[in-house]
Amino acid sequence: MSARTLSAVVVMFSIATTVALAQPPNEIDTTSWKVFRNLVMGFETRYPSTWHVRSAKGNEPETVLLNETPQAGKPHLAVQFWVQRHMNPRGLPVQQWYADQLRRMNAAPSSTANTSIGGRPAVRMETTGTLGRTFQFFTSLNKTDIFEITLRQPASQTQLNPTDQKLLSTVKFID
């Protein structure tokens, strides 16, 4: 193979790779996903049909874990939902409540951003530690209760995994 032919192949491969990377990722099909609904915690969400649901009853805070069966060589996906009753006794907006919590603990997460969950204002906190990268979302469930969602990923994974993103987009609150 001549140097000119090799150069043409490299250029064509580079163009094809760039086009492939520029295309949007495949949309996740949720038609086979199950619905989890918890009236006591006041929410529902959809999750992959291959995942499992575990609920802790009689605990404070109330908690539900949705997770897939661990597979060798693949990061384990899990989402934990919490309700912390009477955590916001003054009924502050979630951003103000969160800022107060950080001040009280003299803590600073790796990053914080305002977002929304289930159409409600929320705060997203991200930290990286020995257990990997943790994403936590906080929103008000009602005037005094805080609803929290926790996801863990490998530290090298800087963005939320697409399945987790899709699951978060299906969260709805039950009034």
Side-chain angles (χ1 to χ4, degrees):
M1 182 181 291
S2 72
R4 187 175 197 161
T5 305
L6 181 59
S7 293
V9 168
V10 169
V11 168
M12 287 175 58
F13 177 74
S14 296
I15 291 170
T17 302
T18 302
V19 169
L21 292 175
Q23 293 175 355
N26 292 337
E27 183 67 25
I28 293 177
D29 180 13
T30 62
T31 55
S32 67
W33 283 23
K34 296 179 182 177
V35 174
F36 174 78
R37 183 180 191 118
N38 186 309
L39 296 174
V40 172
M41 292 177 68
F43 82 103
E44 76 174 36
T45 191
R46 297 180 64 86
Y47 65 98
S49 59
T50 56
W51 286 28
H52 309 282
V53 176
R54 295 190 186 125
S55 296
K57 301 205 185 296
N59 292 0
E60 280 290 327
E62 297 168 38
T63 183
V64 169
L65 177 69
L66 302 177
N67 67 321
E68 69 178 347
T69 303
Q71 299 173 16
K74 182 180 175 200
H76 180 235
L77 296 181
V79 179
Q80 193 158 14
F81 299 90
W82 310 77
V83 173
Q84 300 180 56
R85 302 285 180 195
H86 311 293
M87 190 67 158
N88 185 8
R90 297 186 301 167
L92 299 172
V94 72
Q95 291 85 354
Q96 187 177 348
W97 169 84
Y98 179 78
D100 286 353
Q101 297 299 307
L102 288 180
R103 271 193 296 280
R104 286 185 190 144
M105 296 185 301
N106 276 335
S110 300
S111 70
T112 301
N114 291 331
T115 187
S116 68
I117 295 289
R120 296 182 180 182
V123 175
R124 173 184 157 172
M125 180 179 85
E126 182 181 332
T127 56
T128 304
T130 57
L131 296 175
R133 187 173 308 274
T134 302
F135 296 90
Q136 290 174 283
F137 296 84
F138 302 91
T139 191
S140 297
L141 183 60
N142 53 43
K143 186 172 179 167
T144 63
D145 299 342
I146 297 296
F147 187 83
E148 178 182 346
I149 302 171
T150 304
L151 304 105
R152 282 201 178 86
Q153 300 181 159
S156 60
Q157 192 172 335
T158 60
Q159 299 295 317
L160 275 176
N161 148 334
T163 301
D164 289 339
Q165 287 178 15
K166 192 63 168 181
L167 188 146
L168 287 174
S169 76
T170 69
V171 171
K172 294 180 186 174
F173 292 101
I174 305 165
D175 293 324

